[in-house]
């Protein structure tokens, strides 16, 4: 039997070439949403091949967007990271806004459901984003 997924939680899937980039994104989110810390870190799902592969790795984190901690400042990334967010529309927008505090954010796509929103973002280092960090739309 599975535990119900609270409506305040947002599923975050990151696709990145480098574990340090994924850790940087999750660290920024954990500073803004401190209840996200689970003690065991993000779940890693490897694509076929070893870590030296050119294939990206996907990391997953369940963000509790109900509580807010300190804001995160600019965070460096070695390469762009794709972030897929899904959950309650209000909380997805909160997570997107939090990411825009630390990274350049370019919304690639979004799909609205009855009570859920899925958004795909491209995250870059703020200094690499054209004209600074772009906020959510």
């Amino acid at each position: 039997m599975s535990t119900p997924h609270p409506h305040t939680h947002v599923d975050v899937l990151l696709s990145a070439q480098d574990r340090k980039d994924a850790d940087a994104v999750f660290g920024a989110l954990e500073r803004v949403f401190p209840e996200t810390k689970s003690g065991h870190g993000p779940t890693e799902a490897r694509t076929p091949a070893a870590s030296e592969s050119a294939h990206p790795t996907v990391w997953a984190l369940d963000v509790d967007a109900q509580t807010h901690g300190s804001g995160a400042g600019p965070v460096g990334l070695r390469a762009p990271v794709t972030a897929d967010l899904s959950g309650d529309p209000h909380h997805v927008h909160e997570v997107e806004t939090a990411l825009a505090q630390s990274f350049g954010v370019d919304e690639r796509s979004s799909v609205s459901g009855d009570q859920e929103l899925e958004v795909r973002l491209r995250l870059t280092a703020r200094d690499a984003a054209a004209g600074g960090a772009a906020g959510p739309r």
Side-chain angles (χ1 to χ4, degrees):
M1 179 150 108
S2 65
T3 307
H5 193 61
H7 77 280
T8 61
H9 287 223
V10 175
D11 291 321
V12 178
L13 297 176
L14 298 182
S15 179
Q17 296 286 7
D18 190 324
R19 168 91 193 205
K20 290 180 183 179
D21 286 339
D23 287 343
V25 174
F26 286 144
L29 287 172
E30 288 173 344
R31 283 189 293 284
V32 178
F33 305 107
E35 292 301 314
T36 296
K37 290 188 183 254
S38 61
H40 62 277
T43 303
E44 182 176 338
R46 288 218 168 264
T47 57
S51 61
E52 300 85 33
S53 167
H55 297 286
T57 300
V58 176
W59 286 272
L61 188 67
D62 180 24
V63 174
D64 183 349
Q66 184 174 7
T67 60
H68 293 272
S70 64
V75 176
L77 293 174
R78 295 173 183 216
V81 172
T82 300
D84 292 310
L85 314 177
S86 64
D88 174 80
H90 173 74
H91 296 294
V92 167
H93 288 301
E94 285 188 29
V95 172
E96 187 175 355
T97 299
L99 289 169
Q101 294 174 12
S102 299
F103 308 99
V105 175
D106 180 26
E107 188 173 301
R108 297 300 178 131
S109 65
S110 67
V111 177
S112 297
D114 183 30
Q115 296 181 14
E116 185 169 287
L117 175 64
E118 293 180 15
V119 177
R120 173 163 285 179
L121 308 172
R122 182 176 184 263
L123 307 178
T124 56
R126 281 182 91 159
D127 55 19
R137 297 173 212 213

